[in-house]
Each structure stands twice: as structure tokens, then as C-alpha cells.
Amino acid sequence: MLRPRSYRRLLRTLVTMVIDTVLGALCLAAAVELRRRVDIPFTSARLPTEKLPLDLANIALFVLPLLFALALTGFYTVTASARHRPTLLMAIPLQIGLIALTAIFIELLVPSSVLIITALLEGVVLGLWRHLLNTRWPRRMQHVVLVGGPQDLAAATSDRAALQRARINVDALISLDEPGIFVAGSDARRIIAEADEVIDVSPLLDERRRLELLLLCGPRGFCVLPSLSEGLLAG
């Protein structure tokens, strides 16, 4: 994938990560205070004050896995297909698993009730925050050009509704079977050079043509080569 640098995109991602960090810390604080002040069924007693203090180390134990899980499941990527759309149902269990593994490694006992309450609060709070983010600060529509074989192009554009949800507008489809599309001065070269993103959807594109695509986009972009056709929209 060849895409230009976008400071607006970077700013949106950084702001999102900062707010995710704050919300994750607040959910942890709320879970700990709830355990200390409220008798919860299936627990033997309230959480002692000295257990799991809300210091920087314990906050980092919960927040860093949250950010890693959100990033790993695609919440900080720019585009996502319907098949690869990020979901908190994957991110939060991954976060809890990472917390549990880290706690075992550092020999720290983390109450399971705090883990469960934190996960439930994060599911609600982060879900509302993501809805607010996508409605009040939506991503700019990405104008892309798809390059590849006819079958790969057809598969990549089969779900138009998913492309619209992902804020993707396909300006052109350029088939590798058409002779002369890489000829200097052709319309294909102009379209490729002007697009926000040029996405190679064909894993069989030879290295010479990959290099030509990179040169057409110039110094404004960088290159990531997908291994699968449908990976083009996975972010």
C-alpha cells in the first residue's frame, strides 16, 4: 500500500490514544473503588485499602495492555473491511489476558473481581467513546486506486457498503491485464500519482511494477506490501 503522510490522521490517532489511556485509568479506578465500598455477590469481602493501590505501576499494568490490545485488533488503523472491523469483544479479553500474564510474571495478585468489573466498564465507556469519535470526528474520506488482476479487483470491491463505512472512495480500478498502463503519460499514471492511496490487491505483482508504483507516488508516501488480496482494507 502506498499512502501519503497525513498529519491530521496522526493527530486523530494520538488524541484517540490519549483519551483511551485516560478512560482506561478511570475504569480501573472506578472498579477498585467499587470493590472497596460495595459488597458484591460472589466475593468474600470488600477489597482492603492496601491491596492494589492506584499508583502509577498498577495503572500502567492495566492501561498499557489496553492500548496494545486496541492497536493489535485494529482500532488505530485507518481503514478496515467488514471482515476485519475492530471490535471490543476481541480487544478487551485480549487486554485481560495480557494483564493476567503480566501479573503472573511479576508475581502480583490481581483480584479477578477487579478484572471483570474493569472489563465491563471499559466495554461500555470505550464503546460510547468510539461512537462519539466516529460521529463527531469522522475520518476523512480516503480516495484510493486499486491495482491488480481482474479477479483480485472484483473481490476487493465486492462489498461497496463496507467500503463506505470504512470511509473509502475507490476512484479507479487499474487491471494489470490491460497493456501499457505503466506507459509514461498514460491516464493510469496520472490517477495513481494523484490518489490518496494506491493499493496493490494482487500478491503476484512483480517487483519492477511495485517499484514503479512507489516512484509514481513519490516521497510523500511509504510502502507496505500486503500478502493477501483482502488484506488491502485491513489497515
Side-chain angles (χ1 to χ4, degrees), residues 47-157:
L47 188 69
T49 306
E50 68 277 3
K51 193 171 185 179
L52 199 65
L54 293 174
D55 54 20
L56 184 60
N58 285 329
I59 292 175
L61 175 64
F62 279 73
V63 170
L64 292 181
L66 173 63
L67 295 179
F68 180 78
L70 291 174
L72 193 63
T73 53
F75 277 93
Y76 300 134
T77 56
V78 176
T79 59
S81 67
R83 184 175 299 179
H84 297 95
R85 292 181 70 185
T87 171
L88 292 174
L89 294 177
M90 291 182 59
I92 293 178
L94 176 59
Q95 175 209 10
I96 299 304
L98 292 173
I99 294 172
L101 289 175
T102 304
I104 292 173
F105 181 76
I106 64 177
E107 298 182 348
L108 175 67
L109 181 61
V110 179
S112 58
S113 57
V114 173
L115 287 174
I116 294 173
I117 296 172
T118 301
L120 294 175
L121 291 175
E122 286 177 347
V124 175
V125 173
L126 292 179
L128 293 174
W129 155 232
R130 278 304 183 285
H131 175 73
L132 180 64
L133 175 67
N134 293 329
T135 54
R136 298 298 182 181
W137 193 5
R139 293 190 297 265
R140 183 178 68 87
M141 182 69 76
Q142 299 295 308
H143 295 271
V144 305
V145 172
L146 305 186
V147 179
Q151 292 183 345
D152 295 317
L153 292 174
T157 57

Side-chain angles (χ1 to χ4, degrees), residues 158-235:
S158 59
D159 192 345
R160 292 285 181 175
L163 292 173
Q164 290 298 319
R165 287 194 301 268
R167 308 286 296 168
I168 299 173
N169 184 64
V170 179
D171 288 345
L173 302 176
I174 300 178
S175 174
L176 296 178
D177 288 356
E178 297 179 6
I181 67 165
F182 289 95
V183 176
S186 68
D187 288 339
R189 295 178 67 93
R190 178 183 57 80
I191 293 172
I192 290 172
E194 294 176 356
D196 286 337
E197 297 182 1
V198 178
I199 303 178
D200 160 27
V201 301
S202 177
L204 301 179
L205 186 65
D206 63 70
E207 296 302 322
R208 180 181 61 82
R209 285 187 169 176
R210 289 188 193 276
L211 180 58
E212 288 189 63
L213 287 177
L214 180 59
L215 292 175
L216 283 173
C217 284
R220 63 194 178 96
F222 60 90
C223 182
V224 177
L225 305 180
S227 58
L228 297 174
S229 298
E230 64 183 21
L232 72 107
L233 298 179

